[in-house]
Amino acid sequence: MGTVLVTERDKLGVVVIEVRGDVDPTGAAELRTALIRALRHLDPTRVVVDLSRAGHIESEGIGAVVAGADVATDSGISMSVRDAAPLVAEELLFAGLPEAQVSTAAAPV
């Protein structure tokens, strides 16, 4: 199981949620909880889900990110996903996230 780390709101109101390792169903529940908590209780101007250290993300994890994006949209808060592996980015886009909200990780040299 991976780890979900939440960086508290910075001076500009940005909250970063960093995902490390694989996201199985238990990790997906942790990710969903972190997203909803950040969106509802940290008063962010923007939420960034950082997947640069994430491994495999099961469908429940993709669903957690999409659910968080839906809550963000409903709340008028900007949310984006950064450094997603190409396959994860493809799954997020297929699940309905706009392309503008998803950036992929740079390919290793």
Side-chain angles (χ1 to χ4, degrees), residues 9 12-15 37-46 77:
R9 190 167 96 70
L12 298 175
V14 177
V15 173
R37 179 183 164 270
L39 289 162
R40 295 216 169 123
H41 302 291
L42 297 180
D43 192 30
T45 56
R46 182 170 176 235
I77 299 167

Side-chain angles (χ1 to χ4, degrees), residues 63-80:
V65 174
V66 172
D70 290 343
V71 171
T73 298
D74 291 346
S75 302
I77 299 167
S78 172
M79 184 179 136
S80 62

Side-chain angles (χ1 to χ4, degrees), residues 6 9 11 17 21 24 29 33-34 36-37 40 50-51 59 63 68 84-85 87 89 104 106 109:
V6 178
R9 190 167 96 70
K11 292 178 183 178
I17 297 174
D24 60 10
T33 299
I36 301 305
R37 179 183 164 270
R40 295 216 169 123
D50 182 350
L51 298 180
S59 60
L87 182 58
T104 57
V109 180

Side-chain angles (χ1 to χ4, degrees), residues 20-105:
R20 293 182 180 178
D22 295 337
V23 179
D24 60 10
T26 302
E30 183 181 349
L31 177 56
R32 183 182 304 261
T33 299
L35 279 164
I36 301 305
R37 179 183 164 270
L39 289 162
R40 295 216 169 123
H41 302 291
L42 297 180
D43 192 30
T45 56
R46 182 170 176 235
V47 172
V48 177
V49 179
D50 182 350
L51 298 180
S52 62
R53 295 184 179 172
H56 175 74
I57 299 178
E58 293 188 25
S59 60
E60 294 89 348
I62 299 296
V65 174
V66 172
D70 290 343
V71 171
T73 298
D74 291 346
S75 302
I77 299 167
S78 172
M79 184 179 136
S80 62
V81 177
R82 75 175 173 212
D83 293 332
L87 182 58
V88 172
E90 184 178 306
E91 290 176 4
L92 289 167
L93 296 172
F94 184 76
L97 254 62
E99 192 171 347
Q101 285 183 283
V102 181
S103 74
T104 57

